[in-house]
């Protein structure tokens, strides 16, 4: 497969176009459309959507009934059809067209010298500033018909879906302006019938706040219909006798804005984006009620007709015209990140608060290491106690130094616990660990420097063994500190270890989000200044389990050297769990997101010296690690304790988002990486 091609990776390039209109001059408007069509062709666009009645202007009023204008429209369409013969792009253009005894406000779809079909506007506004029924007939009942346009026979009706045979998933439906504003739009039925790209040609004069209304409707339509929605409004050149026009264009995909153009432009504007057809398909596969709704409306949905066409998409690297977030769990927008952190933190706090209430008045027992995860779990527990009106001394924090515990992290744990006012104790696990290793006959007990997984897990397991027994002894529950990323990668000790707890507050929080949650806690003054100072220092530390002693001249143990950079692994995690994407597509997106340090946006507050880039080779290597670990460690996730779901992307709980057999193998996924993801 062509790894570098966006089309081969399940994308289709779509354009929403607006352009200055020449009132009642179809020939001039056809020339303007052709000029923009050629530009779209050069940009490798599959479908370009133009405004409502763009061949005449929306505001020509009674001229819509003039034979001269209507004849001119037919000639203009003929010019566009002829010009399209050598263009890749399918053109969706607005024009008044006669059918039988009436004029219809239509959207015509033209591709490679052929009129593929004509969709009449189903619902005509005839209120406030609108008088469309004076000139046009509603097209809601014009199903299963044909029409002659520019000398060609074409299907006619609002019941058309234009299916591209060589771009799987590109199924286009077209509606016109007011069709979007009615309770049950034609596009909703078309989506149930299989349409994935919904286009709206709009006149829509602008008044104060109408642009926001349009955004609301387009966004909600794309979200409800699990589709891309392409909107193009009339602008410059329309009559301002009584109204004004802003030329708004935008494309939303499943509720997310992919792109929009400036309003009130001087000259033509195009919003060109790459729509993810795989994402649309996967959303529909996951949301079973989508197809249930199709069954409910079967009588209308099954009437849709399919018009087949072929794009002949370009091969090779044509770029990727969409924003790809480096951090799917962490928004780049400051306001969105602020809200996400507020919600995530309070989901965790309220979850623990409810669990403590349900049990009675247990204490919260936590092992604190001075690392990010245990730090965050500790402040969540403290806030839960605050909200319950209980003293923070009911949080029992234990630091349990092992063979590789550093003075720095131990100092953080001590200082933070003291600043928060929790009950704090140190419990040295080394004597117990040495005894266990001796009892087992481990080489370490004979003085050999053997630091294997048994050596590590003896320490990790003892810590949680102590925590559970301490909880028994002191009337508490063990609050788990492990995060979503560790659960996905199996970076936790099974059974009596950090895989287990009585309630796991971080189970829905990925590693890449934890630091932002702590920053949010600091900036919002959730705790005293002394605690905030320690939290800020903890944010600067390397992620390490501190289970292997540091040897002279060697680098200290670092988690990401083993499981991979959490930057990349959280990226893969989100796309596997939330969207079910193929490895080759995830690699393609990761390469675009991470290949250039200076391109794109970084989350607010992200330290400049922590910014990194990854080569395709690194993406490929660490994705192989992810797949191996993800499949091999399902047994740990199948036995997870309770904990709240935090992100819409998902969780690892078998009672929530993720169910998978523990004996499944990664063979097919690894084979695809080997076959389809190139080395640089």
């Amino acid at each position: 497969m062509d790894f570098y091609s966006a089309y081969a990776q399940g994308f289709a390039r779509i354009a929403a176009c607006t352009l200055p209109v020449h009132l009642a001059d179809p020939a001039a408007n056809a020339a303007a459309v052709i000029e923009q069509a050629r530009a779209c062709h050069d940009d490798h666009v599959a479908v370009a959507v133009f405004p409502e009645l763009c061949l005449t202007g929306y505001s020509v009023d009674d001229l819509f009934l003039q034979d001269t204008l209507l004849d001119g429209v037919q000639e203009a369409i003929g010019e566009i059809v002829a010009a399209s013969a050598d263009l890749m792009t399918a053109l969706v253009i607005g024009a008044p067209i006669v059918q039988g005894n009436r004029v219809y406000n239509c959207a015509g779809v033209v591709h490679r010298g052929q009129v593929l079909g004509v969709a009449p506007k189903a619902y005509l506004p005839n209120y406030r500033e609108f008088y469309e029924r004076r000139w046009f007939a509603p097209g809601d009942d014009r199903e299963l018909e044909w029409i002659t346009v520019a000398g060609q026979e074409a299907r006619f009706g609002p019941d058309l879906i234009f299916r591209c045979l060589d771009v799987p998933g590109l199924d286009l439906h077209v509606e016109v302006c007011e069709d979007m504003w009615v309770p049950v739009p034609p596009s909703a039925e078309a989506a149930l019938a299989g349409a994935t790209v919904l286009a709206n040609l709009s006149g829509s004069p602008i008044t104060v706040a109408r642009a926001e209304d349009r955004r609301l409707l387009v966004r909600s339509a794309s979200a409800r219909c699990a589709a891309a929605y392409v909107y193009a409004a009339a602008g410059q050149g329309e009559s301002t006798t009584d109204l004004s026009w802003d030329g708004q264009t935008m494309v939303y995909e499943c509720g997310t804005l992919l792109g929009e153009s400036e309003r009130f432009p001087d000259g033509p504007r195009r919003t060109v984006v790459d729509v993810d057809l795989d994402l649309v398909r996967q959303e529909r596969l996951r949301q079973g009620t989508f197809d249930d709704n199709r069954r409910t409306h079967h009588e209308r949905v099954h009437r849709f007709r399919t018009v087949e066409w072929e794009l002949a998409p370009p091969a090779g690297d044509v770029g990727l015209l969409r924003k790809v977030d480096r951090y799917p769990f962490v928004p780049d927008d400051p306001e969105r990140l602020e809200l996400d952190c507020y919600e995530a933190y309070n989901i965790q706090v309220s979850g623990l608060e409810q669990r403590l209430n349900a049990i009675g008045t247990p204490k919260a027992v936590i092992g604190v290491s001075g690392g990010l995860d245990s730090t965050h779990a500790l402040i969540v527990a403290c806030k839960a106690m605050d909200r319950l009106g209980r003293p923070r001394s009911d949080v029992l924090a234990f630091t349990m130094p092992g063979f590789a515990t550093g003075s720095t992290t131990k100092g953080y744990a001590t200082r933070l616990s003291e600043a928060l006012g929790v009950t704090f104790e140190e419990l040295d696990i080394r004597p117990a660990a040495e005894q266990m290793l001796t009892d087992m006959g481990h080489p370490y007990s004979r003085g050999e420097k053997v630091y294997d997984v048994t050596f590590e897990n003896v320490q990790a397991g003892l810590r949680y063994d102590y925590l559970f027994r301490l909880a028994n002894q002191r009337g508490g529950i063990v609050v788990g500190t492990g995060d979503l990323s560790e659960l996905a990668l199996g970076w936790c000790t099974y059974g009596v270890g950090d895989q287990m707890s009585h309630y796991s507050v971080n189970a829905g929080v990925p590693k890449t989000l934890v630091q932002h949650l702590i920053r949010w806690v600091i900036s919002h003054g959730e705790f005293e200044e002394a605690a905030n100072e320690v939290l800020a220092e903890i944010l600067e530390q390397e992620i390490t389990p501190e289970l292997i002693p540091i040897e002279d001249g060697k680098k200290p143990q670092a988690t990401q050297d083993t499981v991979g950079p959490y930057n990349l692994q959280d990226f893969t995690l989100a796309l596997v769990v939330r969207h079910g994407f193929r490895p080759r597509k995830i690699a393609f997106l990761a390469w675009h997101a991470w290949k250039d340090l200076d391109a794109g946006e970084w989350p607010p507050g992200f330290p400049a010296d922590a910014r990194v880039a990854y080569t395709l080779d690194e993406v490929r290597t660490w994705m192989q690690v992810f797949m191996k670990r993800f499949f091999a460690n399902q047994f740990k996730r199948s036995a997870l304790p309770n904990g709240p779901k935090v992100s819409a992307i998902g969780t690892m709980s078998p009672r929530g988002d993720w169910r998978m057999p523990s004996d499944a193998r990664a063979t097919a996924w690894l084979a695809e990486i080997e076959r389809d993801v190139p080395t640089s």
Side-chain angles (χ1 to χ4, degrees):
M1 58 87 62
D2 189 352
F3 176 83
Y4 296 99
S5 167
Y7 279 96
Q9 294 283 10
F11 296 94
R13 189 156 295 172
I14 307 295
C17 310
T18 190
L19 69 176
V21 70
H22 304 270
L23 288 177
D25 190 347
N29 291 322
V33 167
I34 291 168
E35 180 182 18
Q36 292 303 305
R38 288 183 174 136
C40 287
H41 169 84
D42 293 341
D43 285 342
H44 312 291
V45 170
V47 177
V49 179
F50 291 85
E52 179 180 13
L53 297 167
C54 62
L55 292 189
T56 58
Y58 180 88
S59 53
V60 299
D61 295 342
D62 285 354
L63 296 180
F64 284 126
L65 300 177
Q66 293 288 311
D67 285 339
T68 299
L69 185 73
L70 295 170
D71 290 346
V73 165
Q74 291 291 319
E75 294 172 6
I77 295 174
E79 290 294 323
I80 294 171
V81 169
S84 73
D86 59 353
L87 301 180
M88 181 185 94
T89 308
L91 310 174
V92 187
I93 53 175
I97 299 177
V98 176
Q99 170 78 329
N101 298 318
R102 298 296 301 274
V103 179
Y104 290 84
N105 182 345
C106 294
V109 180
V110 173
H111 183 245
R112 294 199 184 276
Q114 182 182 1
V115 180
L116 297 180
V118 176
K121 189 172 184 175
Y123 301 99
L124 303 179
N126 224 58
Y127 53 85
R128 293 195 291 273
E129 66 265 39
F130 302 107
Y131 296 93
E132 288 191 33
R133 280 183 179 262
R134 180 180 176 94
W135 314 295
F136 303 123
D140 58 314
D141 63 340
R142 312 305 297 213
E143 296 178 345
L144 306 176
E145 294 189 15
W146 289 73
I147 192 172
T148 301
V149 182
Q152 294 190 18
E153 290 290 314
R155 291 175 178 85
F156 178 72
D159 57 339
L160 304 178
I161 295 177
F162 302 88
R163 174 159 297 157
C164 185
L165 297 178
D166 53 355
V167 180
L170 178 51
D171 297 289
L172 172 71
H173 177 265
V174 180
E175 64 186 4
V176 183
C177 200
E178 184 75 9
D179 293 344
M180 178 179 72
W181 295 74
V182 299
V184 184
S187 58
E189 295 178 339
L192 294 176
T196 56
V197 177
L198 312 175
N200 187 290
L201 296 75
S202 181
S204 192
I206 186 62
T207 53
V208 171
R210 182 170 287 174
E212 289 306 308
D213 291 342
R214 297 178 191 141
R215 286 194 187 97
L216 174 64
L217 289 171
V218 171
R219 181 184 181 189
S220 62
S222 73
R224 283 185 299 99
C225 294
Y229 201 100
V230 189
Y231 181 89
Q236 192 175 22
E238 291 285 0
S239 173
T240 57
T241 300
D242 294 300
L243 299 167
S244 191
W245 317 79
D246 67 339
Q248 186 176 24
T249 71
M250 56 186 147
V251 182
Y252 275 83
E253 174 192 273
C254 298
T256 298
L257 178 65
L258 296 187
E260 61 182 337
S261 62
E262 66 177 290
R263 295 167 57 214
F264 304 101
D266 181 13
R269 293 292 186 274
R270 293 180 292 126
T271 295
V272 183
V273 298
D274 287 334
V275 167
D276 192 339
L277 302 171
D278 287 341
L279 185 147
V280 169
R281 178 176 49 79
Q282 279 282 348
E283 285 296 289
R284 293 179 179 184
L285 286 178
R286 278 164 169 67
Q287 186 179 334
T289 51
F290 182 92
D291 200 58
D292 291 343
N293 197 221
R294 174 199 58 79
R295 293 168 57 246
T296 300
H297 299 281
H298 174 73
E299 284 193 17
R300 288 189 61 84
V301 169
H302 88 282
R303 298 176 184 174
F304 276 83
R305 293 174 286 170
T306 300
V307 181
E308 296 180 343
W309 59 291
E310 294 187 10
L311 180 68
D317 187 359
V318 296
L320 185 65
L321 301 184
R322 64 185 282 129
K323 182 176 181 287
V324 182
D325 290 322
R326 290 181 173 90
Y327 296 98
F329 294 97
V330 185
D332 298 328
D333 177 67
E335 291 185 9
R336 183 69 251 179
L337 178 58
E338 172 87 6
L339 180 58
D340 281 13
C341 288
Y342 161 78
E343 291 183 332
Y345 180 64
N346 281 282
I347 286 169
Q348 293 177 274
V349 171
S350 62
L352 180 58
E353 181 184 0
Q354 169 62 21
R355 181 50 53 95
L356 292 170
N357 258 334
I359 296 172
T361 56
K363 295 179 172 61
V365 177
I366 302 181
V368 291
S369 66
L372 285 176
D373 290 344
S374 66
T375 292
H376 187 59
L378 179 61
I379 59 180
V380 166
C382 287
K383 183 56 65 174
M385 291 300 181
D386 291 349
R387 287 174 46 158
L388 288 168
R390 294 172 57 185
R392 291 184 190 168
S393 57
D394 281 355
V395 177
L396 311 183
F398 293 88
T399 186
M400 293 175 282
F403 297 124
T405 300
S407 58
T408 301
T409 52
K410 179 181 172 183
Y412 288 148
T414 304
R415 289 168 54 206
L416 181 61
S417 297
E418 291 173 349
L420 290 169
V422 303
T423 299
F424 176 73
E425 294 182 37
E426 179 179 331
L427 197 163
D428 191 342
I429 66 165
R430 285 172 292 187
E434 288 173 349
Q435 182 63 52
M436 182 176 285
L437 290 167
T438 298
D439 293 343
M440 295 171 63
H442 191 276
Y444 178 81
S445 67
R446 300 190 296 270
E448 299 178 34
K449 294 180 179 181
V450 176
Y451 306 130
D452 55 10
V453 68
T454 302
F455 178 83
E456 294 187 43
N457 281 346
V458 162
Q459 298 170 76
L462 277 172
R463 285 178 174 138
Y464 269 78
D465 199 353
Y466 273 118
L467 289 174
F468 275 102
R469 303 297 76 81
L470 288 163
N472 294 156
Q473 181 190 45
R474 306 188 187 187
I477 64 169
V478 177
V479 176
T481 62
D483 63 47
L484 177 67
S485 308
E486 293 175 341
L487 293 172
L489 294 164
W491 192 244
C492 52
T493 301
Y494 183 74
V496 183
D498 53 338
Q499 177 263 349
M500 186 50 62
S501 65
H502 289 111
Y503 193 75
S504 184
V505 294
N506 287 341
V509 178
K511 187 75 75 177
T512 49
L513 181 59
V514 173
Q515 59 178 298
H516 297 279
L517 290 172
I518 295 175
R519 287 195 186 98
W520 182 88
V521 166
I522 295 171
S523 66
H524 281 259
E526 296 288 308
F527 297 101
E528 297 75 20
E529 188 57 35
N532 288 340
E533 290 177 4
V534 185
L535 291 174
E537 293 179 41
I538 291 172
L539 284 171
E540 304 301 320
Q541 298 307 300
E542 169 77 75
I543 300 171
T544 172
E546 292 192 317
L547 294 171
I548 297 177
I550 301 173
E551 298 185 59
D552 292 339
K554 291 188 177 181
K555 179 185 175 183
Q557 183 184 19
T559 297
Q560 295 180 93
D561 290 346
T562 301
V563 302
Y566 281 114
N567 292 335
L568 288 178
Q569 304 303 43
D570 276 2
F571 187 95
T572 299
L573 170 63
L575 272 58
V576 167
V577 172
R578 181 66 180 85
H579 299 303
F581 284 166
R582 303 175 181 88
R584 66 172 181 256
K585 179 159 189 164
I586 299 173
F588 175 79
L589 289 168
W591 176 63
H592 274 279
W594 288 98
K595 65 181 177 178
D596 186 347
L597 181 71
D598 299 318
E601 300 178 66
W602 291 84
F606 196 92
D609 59 359
R611 298 178 180 183
V612 293
Y614 299 104
T615 65
L616 183 56
D617 284 345
E618 290 173 309
V619 169
R620 188 180 193 270
T621 296
W622 290 119
M623 183 178 291
Q624 289 172 319
V625 170
F626 178 92
M627 293 301 174
K628 291 174 183 177
R629 296 192 66 95
F630 185 76
F631 276 82
N633 287 283
Q634 174 61 28
F635 73 98
K636 297 180 182 180
R637 300 189 292 268
S638 294
L640 284 184
N642 295 173
K645 177 178 177 178
V646 172
S647 168
I649 290 175
T651 181
M652 293 285 94
S653 171
R655 298 168 299 278
D657 279 0
W658 191 253
R659 295 172 181 83
M660 169 182 167
S662 296
D663 41 9
R665 295 186 177 185
T667 307
W669 284 259
L670 292 170
E672 181 176 305
I673 296 172
E674 188 68 30
R675 181 185 67 244
D676 293 340
V677 181
T679 55
S680 57

